[in-house]
Amino acid sequence: MAGKLTQNEKFERDLLRGSLDLMVLSVLADESHYGYSIQKRLSAASMGKVKLPAGTLYPLLHRLETDKLIRSRWEESTGRKRKWYELTAKGKKRLKVQVSQWHQYAQCVTNLVNGKGAQPKPSG
Amino acid sequence: MAGKLTQNEKFERDLLRGSLDLMVLSVLADESHYGYSIQKRLSAASMGKVKLPAGTLYPLLHRLETDKLIRSRWEESTGRKRKWYELTAKGKKRLKVQVSQWHQYAQCVTNLVNGKGAQPKPSG
DNA sequence: CTCACATGTATCGGTTGTCTATATATAGAT
DNA sequence: ATCTATATATAGACAACCGATACATGTGAG
């Protein structure tokens, strides 16, 4: 019954792992969301590439809330209870720092895989 | 006694985690290396950002070798024994795929954190 | 009503992978 | 003999992701 990931899928998943917090925080930067809508937004924004399972998302959200980076409130409409999340001031600050770190990191890895990792010869 | 990471350091470390294999493979794409030299090369290429601990590097190298992405041979000079690694054909192929996936992934996350994640209105 | 499915939140447990600490060994400097 | 740098290796602690599972509501088909 498998569920076994191919090596390609495994790599993509590993890549994602390092920046899940950043991505969720980024989604919440635009506007408030509830868990399920974060899933959908992330999937849409990544053109289907990011599929955050519920078993990953909710514990992650709880961790972010414990760290006071986001806060939540329950809200009901049409009989549906949803737990809405928004960034705290601390969360906004952290996001800003992480975005900056992301750009540096991404540039660094990109240079490395392109064989330009801080080598002594800028000429040519 | 500490050893406690700050949240910033933790984030940078998490970012790294997703692409360790890619980075090691990339270093080996240029030329053969032994473990210790991979550490140094990675540190230099990332301007000190990447500090791969030995306890991470060697198990990682063993995993890569088990997967037949790299191969090793012991070589001695001036009394120093070093285990040299090089990419296998399979490893080269995998690296190529992973580099491509990295670029897609990086672009995707960059768009997301810049608030441009596949939104319906390109006009304006 | 019942079935199936999408929506919506939540937790447990297995698995995987990183990191600290530790062990071993060579070699040059003091 | 001790310190530092080089060089490889493993064990155990710890953190995190994710599949499976559970629960509840709403809608449309039969």
Side-chain angles (χ1 to χ4, degrees):
Chain A
M1 243 159 240
K4 254 286 193 181
L5 292 171
T6 66
Q7 288 304 319
N8 273 6
E9 288 165 341
K10 183 176 167 345
F11 175 65
E12 290 206 329
R13 206 191 53 182
D14 287 346
L15 234 32
L16 256 12
R17 285 190 176 199
S19 50
L20 287 181
D21 289 14
L22 172 61
M23 289 193 287
V24 169
L25 254 20
S26 290
V27 168
L28 287 172
D30 299 327
E31 50 185 338
S32 290
H33 280 271
Y34 49 95
Y36 192 77
S37 72
I38 292 174
Q39 259 188 331
K40 297 302 169 191
R41 173 86 180 94
L42 232 30
S43 178
S46 68
M47 287 153 293
K49 201 171 285 293
V50 180
K51 284 169 181 158
L52 196 50
T56 300
L57 177 60
Y58 291 104
L60 187 159
L61 250 11
H62 299 336
R63 200 161 52 251
L64 256 24
E65 190 170 19
T66 297
D67 290 345
K68 304 254 196 292
L69 300 176
I70 60 179
R71 81 172 68 84
S72 68
R73 65 177 194 284
W74 282 97
E75 203 159 293
E76 185 168 349
S77 65
T78 51
R80 276 282 197 309
K81 277 184 187 173
R82 288 161 178 160
K83 197 172 180 181
W84 292 82
Y85 289 95
E86 60 180 345
L87 292 185
T88 61
K90 188 179 176 188
K92 286 177 193 173
K93 198 172 160 187
R94 177 81 110 258
L95 173 59
K96 203 172 163 184
V97 173
Q98 289 198 351
V99 167
S100 161
Q101 288 183 318
W102 160 257
H103 286 307
Q104 289 174 46
Y105 164 74
Q107 192 56 59
C108 166
V109 175
T110 296
N111 286 344
L112 194 67
V113 303
N114 287 342
K116 293 174 189 163
Q119 272 156 17
K121 297 264 257 170
S123 68
Chain B
M1 257 305 121
K4 254 284 191 179
L5 292 171
T6 65
Q7 288 303 321
N8 273 7
E9 287 166 342
K10 183 178 169 339
F11 176 66
E12 290 206 331
R13 203 192 54 183
D14 287 345
L15 234 30
L16 256 12
R17 285 189 175 198
S19 50
L20 287 180
D21 289 14
L22 172 62
M23 289 193 287
V24 170
L25 254 21
S26 290
V27 168
L28 287 171
D30 300 325
E31 51 185 337
S32 290
H33 280 270
Y34 50 94
Y36 193 78
S37 73
I38 292 174
Q39 257 189 333
K40 297 300 169 193
R41 172 86 181 94
L42 231 31
S43 178
S46 67
M47 286 153 294
K49 202 170 285 292
V50 180
K51 284 172 180 153
L52 196 50
T56 300
L57 177 60
Y58 292 105
L60 186 159
L61 250 12
H62 300 335
R63 199 161 54 250
L64 255 24
E65 189 169 20
T66 299
D67 290 346
K68 304 255 196 294
L69 300 176
I70 61 179
R71 82 172 67 83
S72 67
R73 66 178 193 283
W74 282 97
E75 203 159 293
E76 184 167 349
S77 66
T78 49
R80 276 279 198 309
K81 277 184 187 172
R82 290 162 178 159
K83 198 171 180 181
W84 292 82
Y85 289 95
E86 61 180 343
L87 291 186
T88 60
K90 187 179 175 186
K92 287 176 192 170
K93 199 172 159 187
R94 177 80 111 260
L95 174 59
K96 203 172 163 185
V97 173
Q98 290 198 351
V99 168
S100 161
Q101 288 182 319
W102 160 257
H103 286 307
Q104 288 174 46
Y105 163 74
Q107 191 58 59
C108 168
V109 175
T110 295
N111 286 344
L112 195 66
V113 303
N114 288 342
K116 294 174 190 162
Q119 273 155 15
K121 294 270 250 171
S123 70

